Amino acid sequence: MTAYEEELVDASKPAKVVKDALDKAVEKVADLVTPPVPGAPGSKPPQLDEPTEPQGPLPRKSDQASPQTRTATGAETGAGHEVREQQDTYLTTSTGLRLHDTDHSLKAGERGPTLLQDHHLREKITHFDHERIPERVVHARGAGVHGVFVGYGNVDQVCKSGFLQQGVTTPVFTRFSTVVGSRGSADTVRDTRGFATKFYTSEGTFDLVANNIPVFFIQDGIKFPDIIHAAKPHPDREIPQAQSAHDTFWDFVSLHTEATHHVMWQMSDRAVPRSYRMMEGFGVHTFRLVNAEGKTSLAKFHWKPKLGVHSLLWEEAQMIAGVDPDFHRRDLFDAIESGAFPQWELGIQVFPDTPEQTFEGIDLLDPTKIVPEELAPVQPIGMLTLNRNTTNYFAETEQVAFHVGHLPPGIDVTDDPLLHARLFSYLDTQLSRLGGPNFNQIPINRPHAPVNDMLRDGFHQHAVHSGVAPYKPNSLDGGCPFHAGADMGAFAEVAAPIAAAVKERRSPASFSDHFSQARLFYRSLSPVEREHVVRAFTFELGKCYEQAIKERQLLVLANVDAELCARVAEGLGLPAPEPTAPPAEVATSPALSQVGRTWPGDGRLVGIVVDADNPDSLDGLHTLRQAITSANMVPLVIAARGGVLEDGLVAQRTFLTARSVEFDVVLLAAAPPPAPDALPSRDAKAGAPASTVDPRVVLLVQEAYRHAKVIGSWGTGRTALVEAGCTPGEPGVVVGEDPAAVFAEVAELMGAHRVWERFPVSVS
């Protein structure tokens, strides 16, 4: 175990793991007069002039970690993380030869031709030419971080996996991602998100390759190229990037109606999450669990975020894509750096392993179906804490290789046809992306269990194998390696019976219901969430060129819900068709709604507008910032100019650089007059009609208001509210005299994430 894991983990008290870590972080921050704002690029502030005095490489930032230093065959080295980092004070070649110049190529005279003998030039350029590897066809845009998982020890009756035992601490690496966009696309597009976690267990690596949507577009993996080709940019123009609002996507899903349930989720708020820290994760498939006695159960995996499930509004998502396309990854990294470590409980829904493999009439092998939590509650079995950022994006996040076939003893696959195709696809993908069959020897992928696999040679072989007999049986190597028995932790596939059948290309009849669960999902949402689904369908279909595709999708919606279909048809200016069959009677599942509960505000960003030229607006700001920090949130002061304002108070944002979408709540300590740079020629945001308040502050408040965020004010800040058209005392608009008291009321309202009652809805 590494030092940072030892700091965070008391194996005898697993329930305290995250609490202790967070308490330490809060105590550390509370000791500082001016808590640091996360996001500093290096571990040490730079000096003004270029450094000339030789010094060694700076250490990593305190929030960063690297893969453990293990050999290619899984052995601990005892070495620290720094052994992989730069080792010399001076510039060298890749073989350690020190260099005196890297700014000029070797030439035949000052103005002569460049010489072929310049090995440093050739090495530098060759390596640069090959820096990029093929990006993932799907999930190309991702962000990864390190963490730990602690088992609760309450699953012995259904699963024998060692990492789930009480107090067992397992290092993990988690990668979040969008699906459709390229590496350069924006974070906040409407899309499914990946939630893949690599558990470095003592019994072998376990990859739980999950999504933030519990169902998939397709029931059989043979259709995966079709849905991805349809969702990707059009092949002639390579547009639109990372979007589903185009003809080929809707052409496919309106014809291939087994996608309907997933489409409902993608048109909901779940497809535009507020943060990776506020996403649920779902294993999608049904897995088979095995206990120590060999008894089997079926199960679905769930990740439940401790901060709750929250989303952006669609306008917010669009604005952020332009203002800060790295919004989700920045939010994740900054939260970890500030000590607000994201947490999820891993839970399972457990079902009897019957020959039919169904539960309450739901086919458990159909990846387009869910089992409502009201029918099968999610049982928490462990806690995930993400506590360290990566040291190098390429070495870790870009090279991490997940595979649904990486399973520990106690967890096995079922006959889900989509899962079976993934068992082939993931392995096949790594061969082309990572240059050969030895991708598990890359540091981020190296197992933490001993390896003796008899696999030899190939590109990028890091192990130095001894022995002469990499085959079984052998006597030249003394018979090693030997087969392990079931009592030695060996993985053994469950001997599941297979019914007598014929080879054929078709699905079971239970897979043919494409609409009832889509209706279940829609009817389970709150009115405001259903309103957002209506808007999403209207927006997406409104971006399609072909009228026939719009009409065809309306036919699909008619089979889901008449109200939904009518509202979307109205927005498209088309008649609402009749369903081809009466919509199914469904019992709603309140667990599917994001609205109606309250959650912690850890890691939320609080923007505080001040008047840099009015000392009165700065009164109580130090105390307020301390209160915000103690609540595990991040305060950011917004003023007309940056830098130190007064009494050590620093403005982290200016009216020029700030935008409402960055903040979860806005506090107004003043109504600052137009600043000298409030000119449309300098800042287009200043182009609003003239007023007594800086127009960019007015715009910030108006945007926060229409995005249903909480707004607080005191002192002259009320003037800014009035200029923005907000009425003090209306839902989510808090006015008071004492900044700390205002924030206390604001923090309580923030628990609901949005002030949904601020705006009426048109759906029932």
Side-chain angles (χ1 to χ4, degrees):
M1 186 184 300
T2 61
Y4 74 84
E5 289 164 354
E6 290 174 350
E7 286 178 13
L8 292 174
V9 176
D10 177 355
S12 65
K13 300 177 181 178
K16 291 182 60 184
V17 172
V18 179
K19 183 180 184 302
D20 290 347
L22 292 178
D23 287 346
K24 287 181 182 178
V26 172
E27 288 172 7
K28 179 180 178 182
V29 173
D31 289 340
L32 301 174
V33 176
T34 305
V37 173
S43 59
K44 179 182 177 182
Q47 62 190 53
L48 183 61
D49 299 322
E50 180 181 357
T52 57
E53 187 67 27
Q55 60 177 322
L58 294 178
R60 296 188 318 273
K61 291 172 59 180
S62 61
D63 62 292
Q64 295 176 332
S66 299
Q68 287 190 1
T69 52
R70 303 219 168 212
T71 69
T73 52
E76 292 188 63
T77 67
H81 291 270
E82 67 278 0
V83 299
R84 289 202 192 92
E85 299 169 1
Q86 292 81 359
Q87 298 298 313
D88 199 359
T89 299
Y90 299 95
L91 179 67
T92 75
T93 66
S94 62
T95 58
L97 177 68
R98 286 185 175 181
L99 296 165
H100 71 91
D101 188 315
T102 191
D103 298 324
H104 307 91
S105 55
L106 189 65
K107 296 182 285 290
E110 181 180 297
R111 298 173 62 79
T114 299
L115 300 179
L116 182 62
Q117 77 174 70
D118 190 347
H119 61 92
H120 173 50
L121 167 69
R122 286 184 286 118
E123 179 184 74
K124 187 175 180 180
I125 295 298
T126 298
H127 198 282
F128 170 78
D129 290 344
H130 296 270
E131 280 181 1
R132 297 293 178 263
I133 63 175
E135 71 173 31
R136 294 165 171 88
V137 177
V138 290
H139 298 282
R141 171 77 171 180
V145 290
H146 297 271
V148 292
F149 178 84
V150 180
Y152 289 165
N154 57 352
V155 293
D156 290 351
Q157 290 185 334
V158 295
C159 186
K160 64 182 181 182
S161 294
F163 79 102
L164 297 175
Q165 302 306 302
Q166 183 173 5
V168 173
T169 300
T170 303
V172 302
F173 186 80
T174 295
R175 184 180 188 270
F176 302 102
S177 56
T178 53
V179 172
V180 177
S182 69
R183 275 192 59 185
S185 58
D187 277 347
T188 58
V189 296
R190 182 177 293 280
D191 197 1
T192 307
R193 264 69 180 181
F195 187 148
T197 301
K198 185 178 290 291
F199 297 79
Y200 302 97
T201 86
S202 61
E203 299 176 298
T205 301
F206 171 41
D207 289 344
L208 181 51
V209 193
N211 285 336
N212 76 323
I213 290 178
V215 292
F216 214 68
F217 284 106
I218 55 176
Q219 296 166 326
D220 192 310
I222 200 170
K223 295 298 296 179
F224 192 77
D226 298 296
I227 178 57
I228 297 304
H229 287 165
K232 285 284 188 178
H234 293 200
D236 54 349
R237 302 186 180 190
E238 186 63 12
I239 57 174
Q241 173 62 247
Q243 297 179 52
S244 53
H246 57 92
D247 287 79
T248 59
F249 174 82
W250 289 101
D251 182 40
F252 178 81
V253 299
S254 63
L255 291 168
H256 196 66
T257 55
E258 69 187 50
T260 303
H261 190 192
H262 188 113
V263 169
M264 292 300 299
W265 282 77
Q266 185 148 332
M267 294 303 107
S268 78
D269 293 341
R270 299 288 187 129
V272 281
R274 158 62 182 83
S275 164
Y276 288 138
R277 301 178 293 125
M278 302 165 195
M279 289 191 330
E280 273 187 294
F282 304 91
V284 179
H285 307 288
T286 299
F287 291 83
R288 181 171 275 111
L289 305 183
V290 187
N291 67 12
E293 288 73 44
K295 182 180 178 182
T296 63
S297 305
L298 301 181
K300 287 181 175 289
F301 290 101
H302 295 249
W303 289 113
K304 295 287 188 181
K306 299 297 284 185
L307 298 181
V309 186
H310 307 300
S311 296
L312 298 168
L313 297 185
W314 181 229
E315 185 193 38
E316 268 188 304
Q318 293 174 294
M319 290 172 61
I320 293 170
V323 174
D324 183 7
D326 306 304
F327 182 76
H328 282 153
R329 56 174 65 186
R330 191 187 311 280
D331 172 271
L332 177 67
F333 300 149
D334 285 357
I336 291 174
E337 184 179 351
S338 64
F341 300 144
Q343 305 169 256
W344 289 260
E345 276 194 313
L346 179 62
I348 52 174
Q349 288 179 298
V350 181
F351 320 103
D353 189 359
T354 62
E356 298 77 22
Q357 298 179 93
T358 62
F359 182 79
E360 297 289 339
I362 301 168
D363 194 326
L364 297 175
L365 300 187
D366 184 349
T368 68
K369 303 291 194 300
I370 64 167
V371 177
E373 294 181 28
E374 290 76 13
L375 297 179
V378 176
Q379 305 171 37
I381 61 174
M383 178 73 78
L384 170 68
T385 307
L386 300 180
N387 51 39
R388 287 293 184 271
N389 290 318
T390 53
T391 300
N392 184 275
Y393 181 89
F394 179 83
E396 298 166 87
T397 305
E398 190 62 24
Q399 290 196 124
V400 68
F402 296 98
H403 179 25
V404 290
H406 289 164
L407 301 167
I411 303 176
D412 200 356
V413 300
T414 56
D415 292 335
D416 177 338
L418 175 60
L419 176 57
H420 282 202
R422 294 177 74 193
L423 289 169
F424 167 79
S425 179
Y426 280 71
L427 183 63
D428 186 55
T429 296
Q430 313 307 347
L431 295 176
S432 60
R433 285 200 71 245
L434 300 175
N438 292 310
F439 55 85
N440 279 324
Q441 295 185 19
I442 295 171
I444 191 63
N445 298 320
R446 288 181 180 178
H448 292 195
V451 174
N452 192 345
D453 54 18
M454 295 198 302
L455 305 176
R456 294 292 188 269
D457 306 337
F459 281 113
H460 313 303
Q461 176 60 256
H462 290 266
V464 180
H465 295 100
S466 61
V468 297
Y471 52 83
K472 287 287 292 179
N474 77 71
S475 63
L476 291 177
D477 281 348
C480 185
F482 296 89
H483 294 129
D487 59 339
M488 300 174 187
F491 183 91
E493 292 80 4
V494 174
I498 299 175
V502 296
K503 292 189 294 184
E504 55 188 337
R505 292 185 183 273
R506 68 171 189 164
S507 297
S510 57
F511 279 37
S512 61
D513 174 13
H514 299 165
F515 303 121
S516 66
Q517 287 218 329
R519 178 172 174 79
L520 162 69
F521 176 72
Y522 180 72
R523 300 310 303 178
S524 298
L525 301 180
S526 66
V528 69
E529 291 172 299
R530 291 201 292 272
E531 185 84 56
H532 295 166
V533 172
V534 169
R535 294 179 190 174
F537 272 108
T538 306
F539 176 91
E540 297 260 323
L541 292 170
K543 290 283 188 176
C544 290
Y545 181 86
E546 297 293 348
Q547 195 79 350
I549 292 175
K550 302 177 187 180
E551 295 175 1
R552 189 192 307 137
Q553 184 59 35
L554 287 175
L555 286 169
V556 174
L557 296 183
N559 287 322
V560 175
D561 187 89
E563 178 190 56
L564 169 62
C565 181
R567 296 285 184 183
V568 175
E570 180 183 12
L572 296 175
L574 296 171
E578 294 296 320
T580 57
E585 293 294 328
V586 295
T588 60
S589 172
L592 297 176
S593 173
Q594 299 181 173
V595 176
R597 287 167 286 176
T598 58
W599 304 93
D602 294 11
R604 298 293 185 113
L605 298 185
V606 180
I608 311 170
V609 175
V610 303
D611 184 348
D613 298 318
N614 181 4
D616 291 342
S617 78
L618 307 181
D619 289 346
L621 264 262
H622 284 295
T623 302
L624 174 63
R625 294 182 78 249
Q626 191 63 56
I628 294 171
T629 302
S630 297
N632 221 23
M633 303 181 196
V634 178
L636 297 175
V637 175
I638 313 167
R641 61 178 184 272
V644 179
L645 303 179
E646 183 181 280
D647 192 24
L649 193 68
V650 177
Q652 291 85 20
R653 300 291 187 273
T654 65
F655 302 154
L656 173 68
T657 61
R659 199 66 189 261
S660 69
V661 290
E662 180 180 8
F663 308 107
D664 295 285
V665 62
V666 173
L667 302 180
L668 300 167
D677 68 341
L679 305 170
S681 58
R682 293 188 183 180
D683 184 359
K685 300 197 302 296
S691 71
T692 60
V693 180
D694 192 294
R696 295 163 297 182
V697 173
V698 174
L699 177 64
L700 185 148
V701 176
Q702 290 173 334
E703 289 177 349
Y705 181 86
R706 72 172 184 260
H707 295 155
K709 295 178 180 178
V710 184
I711 303 169
S713 70
W714 57 90
T716 59
R718 297 191 194 103
T719 303
L721 279 178
V722 174
E723 287 285 344
C726 301
T727 304
E730 65 178 302
V733 180
V734 181
V735 176
E737 297 300 328
D738 177 57
V742 169
F743 173 69
E745 187 175 347
V746 163
E748 184 175 356
L749 292 172
M750 285 175 64
H753 182 61
R754 304 273 181 181
V755 189
W756 296 120
E757 61 269 30
R758 186 177 288 163
F759 305 112
V761 295
S762 62
V763 299
S764 60

